[in-house]
Amino acid sequence: MLKNNTLVGWLMAGPIMAVLLFFLVLPIVMIVVVSFWRATEFSIIPAFVWENYEFLFGSNVTYRVFFNTFKYAAITWAFTLTIGFTVAYFLAFHVRTLTWQIVLFLLCTIPFWTSNIIRMISWIPFLGRNGIANSTLISWGVIDEPLDWLLFSDFAVILAFVHLYTLFMVVPIFNTMMRIDKSLIEAARDAGASGAQILWNVIIPLTKPGIMIGTIFVVTLVMGDFITVRFMSGSQSANVGRLISNDIALLAYPSASATAVVLLLTVLIVIGILLRFVDIRKEL
Amino acid sequence: MTKISRRNVLKGGAAFAAGTTLGAPMIWAQNIKDVTLRQFGTGVSNLNDVANKVKEDLGFTLEMTALDSDSVTQRAATQPGSFDIADIEYWICKKVWPTGNLQAMDTSKIKNYDKIVGIFRNGKLTPDSTIAQGTAPHTVGFVEGPDGKGFVDNESGWMTLIPTIYNADTLGIRPDLIGRPISNWSELLNPEFKGKASILDISSIGIMDMAMVVESMGEYKYPDKGNMTREEIDLTMAIFTEAKKNGQFRAFWKSFDESVNLMASGEVVIQSMWSPAITAVKSKGVPCVYQPLEEGYRSWGGGIGLSAALTGLERDAAYEYINWYLDGWVGGYLMRQGYYSAVPETSKNYMSENEWGYWFEGKEATDVITSPTGDALAQAGEVRDGGSFEDRMGAVACWNAVMDENQYMVRKWNEFIAA
């Protein structure tokens, strides 16, 4: 009977395993394999050489670009966390009725009904030298000269990232906050805790899994992005995604694969470290 | 897609036999209508209007795919089965020809071959012009025979590409925002335009624009801009990297639309640009000049190549298409966008006297000049930037090129972007 149960278990897990095997594991294995191949300008030659990795680790551009990628991820994470946590806190604890919670939550998702690219590109006319932001500031007399750093700068890149990805922080944090037993907060208050103490000692520890899931979303999305960086920096900044896309444009698939493998490992290490802090499985 | 099946070839053969016995000049038969030719190339000449006109005039179907230069090169080199006609640039041809994916074309089958401008035949626009640096089209335009692998320097009768479109490129400027004459490439790095300059992020073309600027600044004189040594590449990149770090550039652009938006919005006042982008900016009512410069133009040329796999009826249709292409309708269409046709005299039949005078002869417009989409580009009395065909194509300083050190250059280019 027990044996039969195991079989049924495997059968039930079978379809998802097959899907993951074909669409996740196999492509990644392929990328790893190709990263050891050689390429000339026109052809890709199956081989086992380390030259793609040697070039990658031998060039200081790689280190600078990886640093840049981490920089974008860290700053974006800090902003999305602050904003996301605040919004979720407001929705979960300040809005009293479930109806209004749902209405306001849906309101947050409205911008996501259009595509990522559209939402990103619409910043360009807004932030431009003669854009709405600059002309408004000038008409208010705040500045005399248009601010050039608003567009095609790291500022623009991070602004777009924060705009694009904050919802990925709001949703999981809001979700965990809604599960917090309200009597815990009442108990804390009865025990004489101040608002700040409740926030720090009760709410934040209990929302950690949500924060962690949001963090994983934001960090992986930012580290894997290339199009936002290209458009918002006016092609002037690079992150790892752009290195890969440049390589692909030039048919250097092995070199692109090697960069992708290194990026994948880096992201996995980051997530591994994050998971040391919170056991998502236990707390879900 | 129509496969070249045995049945099709037989039908073609039968049609051919019928055609010859009846004394018809061509193999034209009903089944030509079943032919579909797949053409791919850069956006400049992959126009749906052309495909529609082909259907109307020749009866067969032309499927167009537009890609950027890098993707075009890749596809021509790696996926020979994916196209019948490659609409590529001459420097791409230099990279792709050695792969054997294209076949040489018999010039005796090209009706207007004798009328093709000299640039594509012996390299000379007029008998006394000098040949510019870079991958000049005639140097990669001919091979010794139908199976020729190496390029030859004479009109052998076997062409790699049939030239279709070309132009002389220079910097685009916003005269209203600059307010003084611009006459040198070096102005691109002039600190006066700090934060208001741009260059295109397509390495093979960008490096040539850079070289024009470096020479104009008097920093270095290249023996051949189209084929730099590693030291020359380093030197060029160093000058531009420094300028980038000093904030000279507002942005880099990769697609045509980006260049139009940068210029039209006033983010940029001086940048590398392509002719139809100028047209697009002007048609928004924004003043924009394709500024002729003392050092001359960076020129490029494109042509049609046939896939090595193309045979039989499909190949005949392709030759028919090429002859039609050079017959003037497309030429007129392209010239109204500011490009040149390989056989200008046939295009004249498809342009008004005013248009021909403005676009080709550099004369004052006698009436409003409109773009193919109907926007006014110039009023009566205005002349084309740079003047006549001879003035512009006669002042070419270099051709788009592919270097021996191409891979090194590309790596350095990536460093420049990441710097």
Side-chain angles (χ1 to χ4, degrees):
Chain A
M1 197 59 208
L2 190 70
K3 206 163 208 173
N4 215 358
N5 263 347
T6 341
L7 185 69
V8 170
W10 278 105
L11 279 177
M12 284 170 80
I16 189 74
M17 269 178 58
V19 168
L20 287 178
L21 197 68
F22 275 103
F23 296 106
L24 184 75
V25 180
L26 215 61
I28 291 177
V29 169
M30 203 56 213
I31 290 172
V32 174
V33 169
V34 171
S35 74
F36 291 101
W37 288 12
R38 282 173 45 196
T40 66
E41 255 179 286
F42 300 114
S43 51
I44 302 170
I45 308 150
F48 185 79
V49 291
W50 289 91
E51 64 181 32
N52 300 310
Y53 290 98
E54 273 166 28
F55 179 77
L56 197 61
F57 289 110
S59 157
N60 68 354
V61 174
T62 312
Y63 299 105
R64 251 184 298 156
V65 168
F66 265 89
F67 172 77
N68 225 10
T69 310
F70 276 112
K71 185 183 77 185
Y72 287 142
I75 301 176
T76 308
W77 174 78
F79 278 104
T80 52
L81 177 62
T82 317
I83 300 170
F85 188 89
T86 315
V87 171
Y89 185 86
F90 176 80
L91 284 178
F93 296 112
H94 279 260
V95 181
R96 293 289 169 186
T97 67
L98 189 66
T99 323
W100 275 106
Q101 276 175 337
I102 292 172
V103 168
L104 291 175
F105 181 77
L106 285 179
L107 210 61
C108 291
T109 64
I110 286 178
F112 290 77
W113 296 354
T114 58
S115 97
N116 252 5
I117 308 260
I118 303 280
R119 272 183 292 143
M120 177 179 76
I121 287 179
S122 52
W123 280 110
I124 293 176
F126 182 80
L127 296 174
R129 184 174 283 136
N130 305 312
I132 302 168
N134 269 322
S135 43
T136 311
L137 289 175
I138 290 174
S139 72
W140 286 350
V142 182
I143 48 170
D144 301 324
E145 287 278 298
L147 302 171
D148 276 348
W149 53 263
L150 286 182
L151 185 59
F152 301 136
S153 58
D154 280 353
F155 169 80
V157 173
I158 285 163
L159 181 71
F161 274 141
V162 170
H163 174 216
L164 293 178
Y165 299 141
T166 298
L167 193 72
F168 291 97
M169 219 33 133
V170 175
V171 175
I173 296 179
F174 177 62
N175 188 38
T176 42
M177 277 181 178
M178 289 299 279
R179 291 152 177 255
I180 295 177
D181 190 344
K182 293 282 191 299
S183 55
L184 287 176
I185 296 166
E186 281 163 26
R189 185 148 286 146
D190 290 346
S194 69
Q197 279 174 321
I198 293 173
L199 181 70
W200 189 254
N201 294 317
V202 180
I203 294 173
I204 290 184
L206 288 174
T207 42
K208 261 193 192 165
I211 293 175
M212 206 46 66
I213 292 170
T215 304
I216 290 171
F217 272 131
V218 170
V219 168
T220 49
L221 284 169
V222 171
M223 290 188 74
D225 174 276
F226 74 99
I227 198 80
T228 311
V229 176
R230 165 152 132 62
F231 277 114
M232 299 310 288
S233 77
S235 285
Q236 296 216 75
S237 303
N239 67 344
V240 183
R242 285 202 69 206
L243 278 192
I244 297 174
S245 90
N246 281 349
D247 274 342
I248 289 175
L250 297 160
L251 199 69
Y253 289 108
S255 158
S257 303
T259 316
V261 169
V262 175
L263 178 64
L264 182 66
L265 291 178
T266 321
V267 173
L268 285 178
I269 291 170
V270 170
I271 293 176
I273 294 171
L274 290 175
L275 290 181
R276 300 292 285 188
F277 291 115
V278 181
D279 183 354
I280 294 183
R281 203 185 279 244
K282 200 181 89 189
E283 311 225 10
L284 267 182
Chain B
M1 156 193 153
T2 317
K3 284 251 165 60
I4 311 167
S5 67
R6 199 162 58 99
R7 174 168 288 264
N8 261 347
V9 174
L10 284 176
K11 275 203 287 188
F16 182 77
T20 38
T21 42
L22 294 172
M26 288 180 290
I27 56 151
W28 249 213
Q30 268 312 103
N31 60 359
I32 197 83
K33 290 200 164 56
D34 300 332
V35 170
T36 297
L37 293 175
R38 295 160 300 154
Q39 174 176 333
F40 81 106
T42 50
V44 285
S45 51
N46 265 279
L47 305 157
N48 282 329
D49 284 350
V50 171
N52 295 339
K53 190 76 176 162
V54 163
K55 189 76 191 167
E56 195 184 313
D57 287 0
L58 301 177
F60 55 82
T61 307
L62 194 64
E63 281 176 4
M64 301 272 205
T65 312
L67 301 164
D68 64 68
S69 324
D70 290 333
S71 319
V72 165
T73 314
Q74 265 184 44
R75 189 144 165 193
T78 58
Q79 301 171 42
S82 71
F83 65 92
D84 302 312
I85 295 176
D87 174 11
I88 57 179
E89 278 187 47
Y90 276 87
W91 62 269
I92 297 176
C93 174
K94 187 178 175 186
K95 290 173 94 173
V96 171
W97 190 264
T99 62
N101 292 345
L102 298 174
Q103 59 175 301
M105 284 169 279
D106 183 354
T107 57
S108 66
K109 289 192 192 171
I110 310 296
K111 205 172 55 185
N112 284 318
Y113 175 76
D114 294 333
K115 295 178 188 161
I116 292 176
V117 290
I119 296 169
F120 297 99
R121 294 163 61 196
N122 53 22
K124 288 172 183 281
L125 181 64
T126 57
D128 52 342
S129 34
T130 52
I131 293 165
Q133 295 178 344
T135 309
H138 73 286
T139 58
V140 294
F142 295 93
V143 288
E144 66 261 23
D147 301 312
K149 286 276 164 255
F151 301 114
V152 294
D153 60 356
N154 57 61
E155 291 182 59
S156 62
W158 294 92
M159 268 188 141
T160 55
L161 298 182
I162 302 292
T164 51
I165 180 175
Y166 54 103
N167 205 354
D169 285 357
T170 181
L171 297 176
I173 63 163
R174 279 285 297 270
D176 55 327
L177 298 179
I178 290 181
R180 68 174 177 86
I182 296 289
S183 53
N184 297 92
W185 281 86
S186 59
E187 301 277 11
L188 187 69
L189 292 191
N190 187 337
E192 186 185 333
F193 307 125
K194 188 177 166 188
K196 294 177 180 175
S198 175
I199 191 167
L200 77 174
D201 178 19
I202 297 174
S203 54
S204 49
I205 305 174
I207 187 81
M208 305 301 279
D209 280 357
M210 284 181 170
M212 294 297 288
V213 172
V214 169
E215 263 193 8
S216 167
M217 291 165 79
E219 295 280 343
Y220 183 73
K221 186 123 186 81
Y222 301 89
D224 183 357
K225 286 186 276 294
N227 202 4
M228 296 185 194
T229 63
R230 288 190 175 211
E231 291 71 32
E232 287 168 343
I233 294 169
D234 288 346
L235 171 136
T236 314
M237 293 295 182
I239 291 171
F240 272 76
T241 305
E242 200 195 322
K244 185 188 171 193
K245 286 190 170 151
N246 290 339
Q248 181 71 12
F249 301 108
R250 183 66 173 143
F252 301 128
W253 59 266
K254 208 159 194 165
S255 75
F256 173 86
D257 306 304
E258 285 177 279
S259 74
V260 173
N261 290 339
L262 286 173
M263 206 61 160
S265 64
E267 298 290 340
V268 161
V269 299
I270 183 166
Q271 66 171 350
S272 13
M273 233 172 154
W274 296 339
S275 173
I278 303 273
T279 312
V281 174
K282 275 185 173 173
S283 60
K284 290 177 202 262
V286 176
C288 187
V289 170
Y290 213 24
Q291 185 60 49
L293 301 166
E294 276 172 18
E295 295 83 4
Y297 294 90
R298 175 189 53 74
S299 194
W300 58 273
I304 288 175
L306 301 187
S307 160
L310 204 61
T311 54
L313 185 65
E314 263 91 6
R315 182 161 63 189
D316 292 330
Y319 271 108
E320 206 57 36
Y321 168 59
I322 289 166
N323 276 321
W324 173 83
Y325 209 109
L326 299 181
D327 192 48
W329 185 87
V330 191
Y333 188 96
L334 294 173
M335 279 174 61
R336 275 193 288 270
Q337 294 188 44
Y339 299 117
Y340 292 119
S341 148
V343 189
E345 53 184 283
T346 58
S347 312
K348 194 175 177 179
N349 305 328
Y350 292 85
M351 298 171 82
S352 72
E353 199 172 312
N354 178 34
E355 286 175 333
W356 177 258
Y358 177 83
W359 290 114
F360 193 80
E361 294 176 318
K363 287 184 185 161
E364 279 186 12
T366 54
D367 195 3
V368 179
I369 297 287
T370 55
S371 71
T373 49
D375 298 306
L377 298 176
Q379 301 299 324
E382 291 183 35
V383 289
R384 178 175 187 173
D385 304 330
S388 71
F389 174 69
E390 283 80 13
D391 286 344
R392 297 182 79 246
M393 291 312 294
V396 171
C398 67
W399 289 89
N400 280 0
V402 56
M403 308 185 180
D404 296 337
E405 291 289 355
N406 189 45
Q407 276 182 308
Y408 180 78
M409 190 275 286
V410 168
R411 279 178 177 171
K412 284 287 157 185
W413 186 271
N414 279 340
E415 288 182 14
F416 166 65
I417 296 297

